[in-house]
Amino acid sequence: KKGGVKYDELMEENALATTTKKGGVKYKTQEVGQLEKAVAENSDELDGEQTELDAVLEYLSKLNDQCVAKAEPYEERKRRREEELAGLKNALEILEGEAIGFLAVKSVHRHQ
């Protein structure tokens, strides 16, 4: 009887352990499914966020190009300065010519 009782106890323990482990496997399988679903959703969200971040960084780069002051090369400053001086000399010549014409007209009116 003792051997049969021990065998029965051992069989009950094994049956209980098997049931417990099967329940654990079932729970773990469900958990794996939920985690895989969460990973897929988070991956999609990450892709969307990365796309948005890339667009924002590209826009920021364009803004920086527009807003950050860049040193103008010396040759460009020199060329612009020479153009400005030439324009001012031309304006001065025009004004001097008008002044001479004005004085000549005024002089003609005085002598009459």
Side-chain angles (χ1 to χ4, degrees), residues 15-32:
L16 182 60
T18 301
T19 303
T20 303
K21 288 179 182 177
K22 283 182 180 178
V25 167
K26 182 179 177 183
Y27 170 76
K28 294 289 184 187
T29 303
Q30 289 174 348
E31 187 177 14
V32 166

Side-chain angles (χ1 to χ4, degrees), residues 1-16:
K1 273 191 163 186
K2 281 190 174 186
V5 172
K6 285 210 179 242
Y7 174 78
D8 290 339
E9 287 176 3
L10 184 60
M11 289 305 286
E12 279 184 43
E13 287 176 18
N14 285 342
L16 182 60

Side-chain angles (χ1 to χ4, degrees), residues 103-112:
L103 290 176
V105 169
K106 193 174 186 182
S107 172
V108 169
H109 286 295
R110 278 189 190 174
H111 292 315
Q112 289 178 353

Side-chain angles (χ1 to χ4, degrees), residues 14-96:
N14 285 342
L16 182 60
T18 301
T19 303
T20 303
K21 288 179 182 177
K22 283 182 180 178
V25 167
K26 182 179 177 183
Y27 170 76
K28 294 289 184 187
T29 303
Q30 289 174 348
E31 187 177 14
V32 166
Q34 291 170 349
L35 291 174
E36 286 174 343
K37 182 180 176 185
V39 166
E41 290 171 357
N42 287 334
S43 293
D44 290 344
E45 187 175 328
L46 175 63
D47 290 344
E49 294 295 327
Q50 187 63 50
T51 301
E52 185 176 343
L53 175 62
D54 291 343
V56 167
L57 291 176
E58 182 180 344
Y59 181 68
L60 178 63
S61 175
K62 288 178 182 177
L63 284 180
N64 280 335
D65 290 344
Q66 294 173 6
C67 296
V68 174
K70 294 182 179 121
E72 187 177 27
Y74 172 75
E75 293 300 323
E76 180 65 21
R77 287 193 319 257
K78 180 180 176 185
R79 182 191 62 76
R80 282 198 2 225
R81 191 174 327 115
E82 288 171 354
E83 287 176 0
E84 184 178 0
L85 286 174
L88 290 171
K89 285 179 184 177
N90 186 30
L92 181 60
E93 288 172 5
I94 291 170
L95 290 173
E96 286 175 345

